[in-house]
Amino acid sequence: MRLFSVLALLFALSGPAFAVDPSERLADPALEARARQISEELRCLVCQNQSIDASDAQLAKDLRVIVRERITAGDSDDQVRDFLVDRYGEFVLLRPRAHGVGLLLWVLPLALLLVAGGGLFIAFRRRTASPEAERLSPEEEAALKALSREDDGRANI
Amino acid sequence: MIVEFGHFALILALAVAVAQSILPIVGFFRRDPALMAVAPKASLMQLLLVAIAFSALTYAYLVSDFSLVNVVENSHSEKPLIFKISGVWGNHEGSMLLWVLILALFGAAVAVFGGNLPQTLKANVLAVQGWISTAFLAFILTTSNPFHRLAEPAMEGNDLNPVLQDVGLAIHPPLLYLGYVGFSIAFAFAIAALIEGRIDAAWARWVRPWVLAAWIFLTAGIAMGSYWAYYELGWGGFWFWDPVENASLMPWLVGTALLHSAVVMEKREALKVWTILLAILAFSLSLLGTFLVRSGVLTSVHAFATDPTRGVFILAILCLFIGGGFAMFAVRAGTLRQGGLFAPLSREGALVLNNVFLTVAAGVVLFGTLVPLIVSAFGGAISVGAPYFNTVFGPLFGATLLVVPFGPLLAWKRGNLLGALERLWAVFAFAALIGLGIAWLNGATHLLAAVGLGGAVWVLVGAFAELWSRARFRQVGLAVGFRRLAGLPRSAFGTALAHAGLGVTLLGIVSTSAFQSEAILEMKPGDTATVGGYSVTFDGVRNGAGPNYTEQVVSMTVRQGGTVQFIVEPTRRFYTTRQMPTTEAGIRTHGLSQFYVTLGGEGRQTGSLVVRMWDKPLVTLIWLGALAMMAGGALSLTDRRLRVGAPKPARQVAPVIVAD
């Protein structure tokens, strides 16, 4: 089933490179941790659904280096992302931003839950509002009364 | 000759499928038992014919018949036997043939085991199966025929993609397809019920075992695929939110919902319309999964547009069955009589809540998977990746898991939440204690992990609360309690086991994500590195060769506190035919955790290699939990009530004459 993604992924490989090469890493562990976190949410543009942190492609390596350069230059996380979005478009973000279609993506789960919840509420209201199935016919009521009277009588003996 | 025989059998199968699609339905409307009786015979004949076709293709692979395009493209004479066999479905054409074979298998199973089905229902169900068969057989024969010959046979094949030459991948597609196609039975039953305009508890009782079986296979397929990706792709991850993975997760989510709503239908005759809708939805998503993976639309929308024959054909099948299914639902669902009433707070209510969460989760995955395709079809570009899904799906599914222990403790019709809480407070206290303990040990940095682990324990232990309370150990003592426990139906144990499996998987996911230690570095022989309390020594490199590859095996000794724990051997392979390098992760299991090492390229110093190592605490629980879910499902399947199937008319009991 994964055939196609695997194939695409393999085409994207450029030689036996490796995700996150030790040579790329920053000396400062705090900065490196930030770089890793940002890289995990950036797409390797030539790969099939892989972050630049996990990808072996040359482009991913270039992007990893860029991210680290920007961080060393003193950029904030958002500034690094903006820099890459300016260059490569929204496509580079694996976590879509909340505007345009992206907004739809972020609002949808809540909207779906609300719709489902509202639907359920209405369904239950309608059922309890029309309890024909539960209400007894006059004959049944009478029979029930007779029965309970019988019971009472027996209990008194 | 054998190949032509198989090809001919496949064409015949299409003819039989057409007959199976039409005659039983005509028989149903004309009230003609002879026409309706065609259905079971046709489905058995179809299984025979498709099996012949499949065997013929397998034979061509076994003898490396390089006059077949399909064999040339995907096989090699020196490939190990098992991969010659798995190569049959390791490609588009062959995997579609496997799809149809499994479909025929399920159809024949209904014909054989459905002895107590009413004749009209059986005829309609098999006719609907026939529609699906017809569509897919026509698809194979017109666009994806595996039996095409070459005018000039090749001398040697191109070999199977090395990444696919793996035992895990040999069994992954069949399992997944058993799941996907298994839902076709539920779909067929749903459409048959809509045609007849009649549905009752007996219907649910017939459908449930099929749904359960399909669900078990799908669970197995997904878990297998996840473990394969974990050890074969060498990134150490177990779930990537790849569209291909999402394609299998969506039917699983809806299938799980269907499984639960079918219980309500069987026990209480409620949720009829909803169950039918879920049955249609589960199979629709299975078809969508097939479409996403098989049409090539995922790789590139544009590639799909330039060579659209296959894609458009599958899209047409998709529209026909999904559109047709929903259209029939819209027209006929009104004729189904509503069943039993229930209060919002009841077992039914809890199952409705489960259904809502699961379908919303499936909707989120569906939307997230399709949006990039839709946007790119309109010339834009957007990515929806793991960070999005983790953020959105995590809380949604987490909330679902938290209410799992309550469900089985609530009574049908009108439940007592306070009573359920009373029986669960001990579990809650225990889980909270675990969570607090972990938070205390790790400080504020792992707060989310503490909550996650507490939640996992809650689900895991809470799963057994129903058994505990039904045994009434505290009231009746140990001996009687165990006797009561033994008397419980197997499905109660199945439920507990499957629910506990969810907790186990969650435990594995949280502990691996939060507490794994990682090291990425360059090493050369003689070097020692530390990762997560282990010291790892690079002992040396050894060259070797397999049947169709050469390899470099690195040997590493892993020590803890100076004593040798184990040897781990990550490997780099080079497949000669395809000129393709792969890395085989070196994985050692210790307890429930795993030590995982992969190799990268050469380092900057001569003779050094880039090495990536992880210690992954409790990682095996992710898949052991899936095994528990499957075992729970299997246990439920052996429950007498499901085995016996639908109620047969009770034998007349002779009146007992009491002598006075």
Side-chain angles (χ1 to χ4, degrees):
Chain A
M1 291 301 291
R2 272 166 226 266
L3 196 69
F4 279 98
S5 68
V6 166
L7 282 179
L9 185 153
L10 288 167
F11 287 135
L13 292 186
S14 53
F18 198 60
V20 194
D21 207 300
S23 62
E24 302 163 1
R25 306 176 79 184
L26 300 175
D28 183 340
L31 293 186
E32 174 63 22
R34 268 178 61 205
R36 289 293 297 277
Q37 204 150 24
I38 297 176
S39 318
E40 275 167 20
E41 304 201 344
L42 292 177
R43 185 190 193 109
C44 160
L45 299 153
V46 297
C47 314
Q48 175 103 26
N49 190 39
Q50 246 188 320
S51 74
I52 60 171
D53 191 63
S55 171
D56 301 343
Q58 185 58 40
L59 177 81
K61 189 180 166 74
D62 296 346
L63 289 180
R64 283 197 298 269
V65 172
I66 292 177
V67 166
R68 283 166 174 79
E69 277 170 10
R70 300 307 310 171
I71 287 181
T72 331
D75 275 13
S76 72
D77 292 4
D78 278 333
Q79 281 171 323
V80 176
R81 279 190 279 265
D82 287 340
F83 180 83
L84 286 164
V85 169
D86 281 346
R87 276 187 158 192
Y88 299 101
E90 295 278 328
F91 189 59
V92 79
L93 299 177
L94 282 173
R95 181 196 294 272
R97 289 181 170 174
H99 60 73
V101 184
L103 183 65
L104 208 59
L105 276 164
W106 288 106
V107 171
L108 180 88
L110 209 63
L112 279 181
L113 273 181
L114 283 178
V115 167
L120 276 184
F121 183 73
I122 291 169
F124 274 117
R125 277 290 292 275
R126 216 181 336 172
R127 279 196 160 188
T128 38
S130 60
E132 281 99 26
E134 280 186 324
R135 196 172 294 154
L136 300 176
S137 66
E139 295 87 55
E140 284 169 329
E141 292 273 9
L144 186 68
K145 261 194 197 132
L147 271 173
S148 55
R149 223 175 291 131
E150 224 170 76
D151 266 0
D152 286 350
R154 215 175 277 170
N156 285 341
I157 289 171
Chain B
M1 192 56 211
I2 288 179
V3 169
E4 273 64 40
F5 194 58
H7 193 170
F8 185 61
L10 200 62
I11 297 170
L12 271 186
L14 174 61
V16 172
V18 171
Q20 185 186 334
S21 311
I22 299 168
L23 298 182
I25 295 270
V26 175
F28 168 72
F29 284 110
R30 289 209 190 148
R31 301 271 171 266
D32 182 344
L35 276 180
M36 283 193 275
V38 168
K41 287 177 194 132
S43 52
L44 287 174
M45 179 53 77
Q46 210 194 125
L47 174 63
L48 181 71
L49 290 168
V50 177
I52 288 174
F54 192 81
S55 311
L57 186 63
T58 311
Y59 170 81
Y61 268 85
L62 285 180
V63 301
S64 294
D65 181 349
F66 293 130
S67 67
L68 278 187
V69 183
N70 195 258
V71 181
V72 173
E73 280 175 357
N74 300 291
S75 197
H76 191 278
S77 55
E78 279 166 37
K79 197 166 63 168
L81 178 69
I82 173 168
F83 301 131
K84 279 187 182 165
I85 298 172
S86 74
V88 175
W89 57 79
N91 61 83
H92 170 77
E93 290 82 1
S95 82
M96 288 322 294
L97 193 58
L98 178 70
W99 207 98
V100 174
L101 176 67
I102 291 173
L103 185 69
L105 203 66
F106 273 109
V110 171
V112 173
F113 300 116
N116 55 0
L117 284 172
Q119 197 189 17
T120 53
L121 184 60
K122 192 171 176 178
N124 284 331
V125 166
L126 289 174
V128 177
Q129 287 280 100
W131 303 347
I132 305 170
S133 272
T134 306
F136 275 87
L137 283 169
F139 172 68
I140 292 178
L141 285 168
T142 53
T143 73
S144 315
N145 195 333
F147 293 113
H148 275 315
R149 290 271 198 194
L150 280 170
E152 286 172 47
M155 287 302 292
E156 188 52 271
N158 299 343
D159 207 356
L160 180 66
N161 187 326
V163 179
L164 304 183
Q165 294 192 28
D166 180 271
V167 183
L169 211 73
I171 49 178
H172 169 62
L175 286 173
L176 209 55
Y177 282 3
L178 278 166
Y180 274 10
V181 181
F183 287 131
S184 76
I185 302 274
F187 176 81
F189 268 95
I191 299 295
L194 289 173
I195 293 174
E196 292 195 32
R198 205 170 64 89
I199 180 171
D200 49 23
W203 181 93
R205 198 169 278 201
W206 280 308
V207 172
R208 253 184 80 197
W210 296 103
V211 175
L212 193 54
W215 181 88
I216 295 170
F217 284 124
L218 194 56
T219 309
I222 293 174
M224 186 75 243
S226 153
Y227 191 63
W228 170 78
Y230 168 75
Y231 72 73
E232 180 69 25
L233 298 187
W235 311 329
F238 50 87
W239 191 261
F240 301 97
W241 294 105
D242 190 89
V244 181
E245 289 171 323
N246 295 350
S248 62
L249 182 64
M250 290 184 280
W252 186 85
L253 289 169
V254 174
T256 311
L258 173 62
L259 204 61
H260 289 86
S261 84
V263 176
V264 178
M265 234 210 88
E266 182 198 346
K267 296 272 175 13
R268 298 275 310 128
E269 290 221 29
L271 304 186
K272 286 178 178 180
V273 177
W274 178 239
T275 306
I276 294 271
L277 184 64
L278 281 179
I280 296 174
L281 212 55
F283 184 59
S284 300
L285 289 170
S286 299
L287 281 180
L288 184 74
T290 311
F291 167 73
L292 284 177
V293 177
R294 287 289 144 222
S295 66
V297 71
L298 288 179
T299 332
S300 158
V301 176
H302 308 291
F304 169 71
T306 42
D307 179 21
T309 33
R310 280 179 184 169
V312 167
F313 202 120
I314 307 189
L315 198 61
I317 293 180
L318 211 63
C319 291
L320 199 68
F321 283 98
I322 300 181
F326 283 117
M328 273 205 74
F329 178 79
V331 175
R332 302 282 295 181
T335 60
L336 303 176
R337 212 169 47 82
Q338 269 304 336
L341 293 169
F342 54 89
L345 250 179
S346 58
R347 175 99 57 110
E348 295 96 318
L351 288 167
V352 167
L353 192 67
N354 140 312
N355 275 222
V356 165
F357 274 117
L358 285 171
T359 34
V360 167
V364 167
V365 177
L366 176 69
F367 199 66
T369 309
L370 292 186
V371 156
L373 297 181
I374 297 166
V375 170
S376 100
F378 287 102
I382 187 172
S383 299
V384 183
Y388 168 80
F389 286 111
N390 285 336
T391 312
V392 171
F393 189 84
L396 205 55
F397 206 70
T400 317
L401 288 181
L402 288 189
V403 296
V404 166
F406 286 103
L409 287 176
L410 292 171
W412 294 106
K413 283 190 93 165
R414 194 179 296 278
N416 178 358
L417 188 62
L418 274 179
L421 279 173
E422 220 173 308
R423 278 178 281 180
L424 280 171
W425 77 265
V427 181
F428 181 79
F430 180 61
L433 210 64
I434 298 264
L436 285 174
I438 285 162
W440 184 68
L441 280 176
N442 293 287
T445 47
H446 287 85
L447 223 51
L448 208 61
V451 173
L453 290 179
V457 171
W458 159 254
V459 177
L460 173 53
V461 182
F464 297 100
E466 191 210 1
L467 295 180
W468 174 263
S469 73
R470 280 174 84 171
R472 299 165 67 93
F473 281 118
R474 276 221 301 252
Q475 291 87 342
V476 297
L478 219 55
V480 185
F482 272 115
R483 232 174 299 142
R484 287 181 62 95
L485 207 56
L488 289 179
R490 282 194 198 161
S491 62
F493 290 98
T495 305
L497 195 56
H499 286 178
L502 282 170
V504 172
T505 296
L506 186 62
L507 204 61
I509 291 176
V510 176
S511 68
T512 306
S513 320
F515 298 110
Q516 73 175 3
S517 18
E518 183 194 51
I520 306 168
L521 66 171
E522 287 178 15
M523 290 178 91
K524 57 182 187 304
D527 281 0
T528 296
T530 54
V531 53
Y534 292 95
S535 80
V536 185
T537 309
F538 191 123
D539 295 326
V541 187
R542 164 178 98 235
N543 290 319
N548 49 356
Y549 57 82
T550 57
E551 63 180 357
Q552 257 189 317
V553 183
V554 168
S555 182
M556 291 173 163
T557 309
V558 181
R559 294 186 176 82
Q560 193 177 29
T563 52
V564 174
Q565 297 291 318
F566 44 77
I567 308 278
V568 62
E569 297 196 320
T571 304
R572 289 205 300 176
R573 279 191 191 156
F574 188 75
Y575 283 79
T576 33
T577 311
R578 292 215 173 192
Q579 295 284 301
M580 214 158 101
T582 68
T583 70
E584 305 287 311
I587 300 173
R588 281 304 297 253
T589 307
H590 54 98
L592 295 168
S593 313
Q594 282 185 335
F595 197 81
Y596 187 113
V597 185
T598 52
L599 298 177
E602 259 104 63
R604 281 160 301 177
Q605 288 174 289
T606 44
S608 74
L609 282 172
V610 174
V611 179
R612 199 167 179 176
M613 299 185 277
W614 288 273
D615 187 44
K616 294 175 172 289
L618 302 186
V619 70
T620 55
L621 289 185
I622 296 174
W623 304 287
L624 289 177
L627 276 183
M629 288 180 226
M630 284 150 58
L635 202 59
S636 287
L637 206 53
T638 63
D639 192 299
R640 205 179 151 272
R641 287 175 299 177
L642 281 186
R643 240 188 6 232
V644 170
K648 288 180 187 152
R651 226 179 303 146
Q652 285 294 311
V653 179
V656 181
I657 299 158
V658 182
D660 214 325

